[in-house]
Structure formats: C-alpha cells, structure tokens
Amino acid sequence: MSIQLFRADTFSAPEAEAERLVIANTDDPREADLAGVRVVELQFPKFSDGRAFSQAFLLRRRLGYTGEIRATGDVLIDQVLQMQRSGFTQAVLKDDQDLAHAERLLAHYSGFYQGDAVHTRPRFANA
C-alpha cells in the first residue's frame, strides 16, 4: 500500500463529511465509533508532535480499521515514509512542501527488514 500525497493549498476532501471522522491528537481512537467511517483524519498540530503516528498504528493493528487514514496539519515530507509505515494512506502536505520531492523520497525505499503496521511480517519471514 502506497501513501497518496496532496498539497494543502489544492486539497479538497472527496468524501462526504458524514463519512469522515476527525480525531484530535489528544483523543484515543479506541473510543471512536468507526461505523460508516470511510476516512479517519488524524492531525499533526506541529511537526514535532507525533501522537498521530501512534493513533494510526492503533487504528490499523489493534482496531483492524481498513479505510483511509489521512494526515493533516503541519505535515512535512520528512514524515511521509514513517506515515506510510504507520498505516496512513494519505498525507496532505503543508503548502510550502515540494510534492515531487516527497514522491522521490518514497521511491528510495523498496522494502524494509522489519515489519510495520501495514506489512506485519519481517522481511526474512517472507522468504
């Protein structure tokens, strides 16, 4: 699963508002009602606040959520690879971030030795 990248200045959510659940980074996703939710939007109020990474991991691994998980807020290209590995499927980059550069950074990594939220088995176990 590859993460989709968007720029905040041109992004418009395609889903209906009723199908999107916005979870503040101070909230516990285990307490959210995910019935009928197609997109969970997790917020990064500032670059150095990584609580949304833990929320995405909880949604994927513990709660078995299979819908879209979107990162919004102070999202920089430095975070995109880890977002993908944590279970995010979409990232809305800050206006000043270079979308093409972010895509090139993602292309550098074809696989990882250890498992993550999406590919749980370590690489050696797939041989």
Side-chain angles (χ1 to χ4, degrees):
M1 177 186 321
S2 182
I3 192 167
Q4 296 176 297
L5 303 175
F6 306 95
R7 281 182 46 106
D9 57 353
T10 59
F11 181 76
S12 178
E15 70 281 346
E17 194 170 325
E19 297 175 314
R20 179 177 59 244
L21 175 64
V22 178
I23 300 178
N25 71 337
T26 56
D27 294 340
D28 187 342
R30 294 173 292 188
E31 297 172 1
D33 179 8
L34 299 173
V37 174
R38 283 189 37 228
V39 178
V40 173
E41 190 172 293
L42 301 178
Q43 302 170 331
F44 286 83
K46 58 184 178 177
F47 171 76
S48 59
D49 188 338
R51 289 179 279 185
F53 287 112
S54 298
Q55 290 174 315
F57 191 86
L58 279 171
L59 284 164
R60 289 283 182 234
R61 293 289 294 274
R62 290 203 184 158
L63 302 176
Y65 180 72
T66 58
E68 302 287 342
I69 299 178
R70 179 180 300 144
T72 61
D74 194 23
V75 178
L76 307 181
I77 62 174
D78 300 11
Q79 300 166 300
V80 172
L81 182 62
Q82 189 60 36
M83 285 178 179
Q84 180 174 288
R85 299 197 70 218
S86 298
F88 285 92
T89 55
Q90 300 177 343
V92 181
L93 301 173
K94 279 181 56 176
D95 297 346
D96 63 353
Q97 298 297 290
D98 184 341
L99 192 62
H101 188 141
E103 290 169 348
R104 285 192 305 272
L105 286 174
L106 285 172
H108 281 292
Y109 302 97
S110 61
F112 297 92
Y113 187 74
Q114 71 277 34
D116 57 35
V118 179
H119 304 286
T120 57
R121 293 177 55 140
R123 190 172 201 160
F124 66 83
N126 294 324

